[in-house]
Amino acid sequence: MATLPLIPALGTEGGSPIPANRILLLEAIAESGSISQAAKAAGLSYRGAWNALDDLNGLSETPLVSTNIGGKGGGGAYLTPAGRHLISVYRAMEQLQRSLLRDIAALPDAASSLQTLRKLMLKTSARNQLYGTVSHIAPGHSNDQITLTLPGDLTLLATITRESTELLELKPGSAVAALVKASWVRLTAGHNPSAVSGDNALHGHISPLLRESGQAEVAVLLTNGLSLVAQVDKAEAWPLHQPVTAHIAAGNIILGVGY
């Protein structure tokens, strides 16, 4: 029998799973037939709603929503049978998982273990995965700057589109995974500030790294005890324990939720 994965973002307290706003968007479309009205009901901008619909239809084997561009109120839409079935399955899974997590919550240290298991569920090609919480969101014209607080009170800045902020339902206190490819981490010797305003400069020292075949990589042990891996030129020499700064452009950080 096939095993269904847990909905990753459902907490032990039974909070709303991710992507709750996309499910709300589908339900609102079924009720109103209007994308603009459905966007308001789901807490999305009109553009964010269209991006969400594109994603939903792209992720499904068959379209979930059929749209008519230019209808009254910004375009009409209706759910396909696949879209209605998805909502039914999602809500059934939600009820089952709430019941399951109530039982798990009775176990000692259940919350900590569930959090670890959710992180293990996250599979990505990014070499670095940093986990933290959103401490501030600075809205811009088209992009938002997200400030994350990492363990040890380290700060990480990420720049993402306004639509991404909406679709991820980010707000202060949100748990977020920051994904960074090793090739996006640039090292300089010593502890230096960022040369570009709004980018990241994380201090640490060169740490031992289990080297794999292929590209040259260097591990950096940060001041909070977490590690980063940077891809470097094979000709570069980075002595063990040398103080370094890992520079990461805010626009090169990918944010993920739902773990």
Side-chain angles (χ1 to χ4, degrees), residues 126-158:
R127 195 71 167 86
N128 300 295
Q129 300 175 26
L130 303 174
Y131 296 89
T133 58
V134 175
S135 55
H136 182 67
I137 299 176
H141 179 67
S142 58
N143 294 325
D144 294 343
Q145 186 177 74
I146 312 299
T147 303
L148 307 180
T149 299
L150 306 178
D153 290 328
L154 285 187
T155 297
L156 194 68
L157 300 177

Side-chain angles (χ1 to χ4, degrees), residues 23 35 40 78 156 168 203 212 218:
I23 296 298
I35 294 179
K40 293 178 182 178
Y78 62 90
L156 194 68
L168 294 176
H203 300 152
E212 302 174 354
V218 170

Side-chain angles (χ1 to χ4, degrees), residues 127 209-217 234:
R127 195 71 167 86
L209 171 70
L210 178 62
R211 292 190 176 275
E212 302 174 354
S213 60
Q215 298 160 329
E217 294 181 336
K234 291 184 179 180

Side-chain angles (χ1 to χ4, degrees), residues 37 78 254:
Q37 292 181 34
Y78 62 90
I254 298 172

Side-chain angles (χ1 to χ4, degrees), residues 130-197:
L130 303 174
Y131 296 89
T133 58
V134 175
S135 55
H136 182 67
I137 299 176
H141 179 67
S142 58
N143 294 325
D144 294 343
Q145 186 177 74
I146 312 299
T147 303
L148 307 180
T149 299
L150 306 178
D153 290 328
L154 285 187
T155 297
L156 194 68
L157 300 177
T159 301
I160 63 175
T161 64
R162 174 67 50 79
E163 288 74 22
S164 295
T165 303
E166 292 181 347
L167 293 175
L168 294 176
E169 298 183 276
L170 296 182
K171 58 183 180 297
S174 295
V176 175
L179 310 179
V180 185
K181 295 176 62 174
S183 59
W184 294 344
V185 181
R186 184 176 62 87
L187 298 184
T188 58
H191 289 172
N192 307 304
S194 174
V196 179
S197 177

